[in-house]
Amino acid sequence: AIAQMQRHVQVKDPDVQRLLPEQFQLVELLLESSVKEVTEKTILLNNGKEIDYGLSVWAAGNGPLPLTLQIVDLLGEEQSAEQNIARGRIITDAWMRAKGSNGSILAFGDCSCTTKAPDGPLPATGQVAAQQGEYLAKLMNKGYDISPVSQEGVILPPLRHPDHETTVSENIANFATRSDEYAKPFQFLNLGILAYTGGGSALAQVATAPNAEPIKGTGKVGNALWKSVYISKQISWRNRFMVVNDWVRRQIFGRDITRV
């Protein structure tokens, strides 16, 4: 549960304090205090405490879809053995293949979880899902055999089509793995973190290259970085024009709240 702080708290970092709106009020995170019941004027917690409120905002994550849970149950022991980490998501190997499916089921995005990744399970964000989808599309377009015949009970990585010409990045991966027969595993590239803080300001941390120092920006500079990345990720020039047009209209006439 999260409650608005009643006591005054001074932010130590002046740069952070400067970015906050004038009427900004901090909140307090209550650990081991899940919400048990919400009445007309009171929020009841599982530890017996009560919080009086005027406006209650419910912000909860999405649970797994029934189809996802059904697939997890049908795939058996290989899925259930690691559900303490996956928490209702489909466990996949490094090539987005659901464990227990012999390569017949592919899963990526929020419904999947790769427990054996070098950096641990990846966050359920659009950035991860987009890179995973692009990775699988390349494997399919290049004719990789997603579910090759297993050897001694071990499912091999996707097998390269004999007519496929390898790229420079694939040649580098082949040299590192000492094999040119199989597809390289998925590798997530963290492109940065963006957060809009209101009032035309934002926090931005944009990665330019792996293991390189990211570009950081706050306030108006961070907002410019945030908008530039947002525009660059649009799938068409039509979408880019519509987004910029919406920003200009909002700046001139204010936000349209007639349909809120």
Side-chain angles (χ1 to χ4, degrees):
I2 296 178
Q4 183 173 300
M5 283 186 174
Q6 301 298 320
R7 65 183 187 275
H8 176 71
V9 177
Q10 182 67 35
V11 180
K12 294 182 179 180
D13 192 338
D15 292 333
V16 175
Q17 179 68 51
R18 177 175 51 82
L19 294 174
L20 300 178
E22 293 182 2
Q23 304 300 321
F24 184 82
Q25 291 181 293
L26 294 174
V27 296
E28 185 174 10
L29 176 64
L30 308 178
L31 300 178
E32 299 181 0
S33 304
S34 59
V35 177
K36 181 180 180 181
E37 182 182 354
V38 179
T39 64
E40 185 177 353
K41 296 182 179 180
T42 306
I43 298 175
L44 306 178
L45 305 181
N46 64 340
N47 57 10
K49 293 183 179 180
E50 298 183 1
I51 300 176
D52 296 328
Y53 76 93
L55 174 64
S56 175
V57 178
W58 179 261
N62 296 325
L65 295 174
L67 176 61
T68 303
L69 295 176
Q70 183 180 2
I71 293 175
V72 170
D73 290 338
L74 291 175
L75 293 180
E77 179 64 25
E78 289 193 62
Q79 291 289 326
S80 60
E82 298 183 79
Q83 282 304 311
N84 61 321
I85 300 176
R87 300 174 62 185
R89 293 179 290 173
I90 300 172
I91 300 172
T92 66
D93 61 13
W95 296 270
M96 306 293 105
R97 301 177 300 187
K99 290 187 176 182
S101 69
N102 294 325
S104 61
I105 297 177
L106 301 175
F108 68 98
D110 294 2
C111 72
S112 68
C113 176
T114 306
T115 57
K116 302 300 182 181
D119 299 326
L122 296 173
T125 63
Q127 184 180 160
V128 173
Q131 292 186 30
Q132 289 176 332
E134 184 179 359
Y135 170 81
L136 284 177
K138 288 181 178 179
L139 289 187
M140 295 178 180
N141 290 335
K142 293 176 180 179
Y144 277 90
D145 183 1
I146 303 295
S147 52
V149 178
S150 60
Q151 295 182 357
E152 300 179 356
V154 178
I155 300 180
L156 299 175
L159 190 63
R160 182 174 64 86
H161 192 279
D163 296 332
H164 167 62
E165 296 183 4
T166 57
T167 62
V168 175
S169 62
E170 289 174 331
N171 288 329
I172 296 174
N174 293 338
F175 176 79
T177 58
R178 298 179 181 179
S179 173
D180 60 355
E181 298 182 66
Y182 304 109
K184 62 179 181 179
F186 171 75
Q187 185 175 11
F188 172 62
L189 174 61
N190 187 356
L191 299 177
I193 301 172
L194 303 169
Y196 184 67
T197 55
S201 64
L203 302 176
Q205 179 176 301
V206 181
T208 56
N211 301 322
E213 186 68 21
I215 299 175
K216 299 180 181 179
T218 60
K220 301 300 182 183
V221 175
N223 189 40
L225 283 172
W226 177 80
K227 287 187 174 181
S228 63
V229 173
Y230 192 91
I231 284 293
S232 67
K233 291 300 180 181
Q234 300 302 309
I235 61 175
S236 67
W237 283 104
R238 176 180 179 274
N239 284 11
R240 293 187 179 99
F241 174 78
M242 292 178 64
V243 169
V244 173
N245 181 56
D246 181 65
W247 286 344
V248 173
R249 286 191 296 108
R250 187 181 63 194
Q251 189 70 26
I252 297 175
F253 302 106
R255 189 180 297 275
D256 184 7
I257 59 173
T258 55
R259 291 178 291 179
V260 175

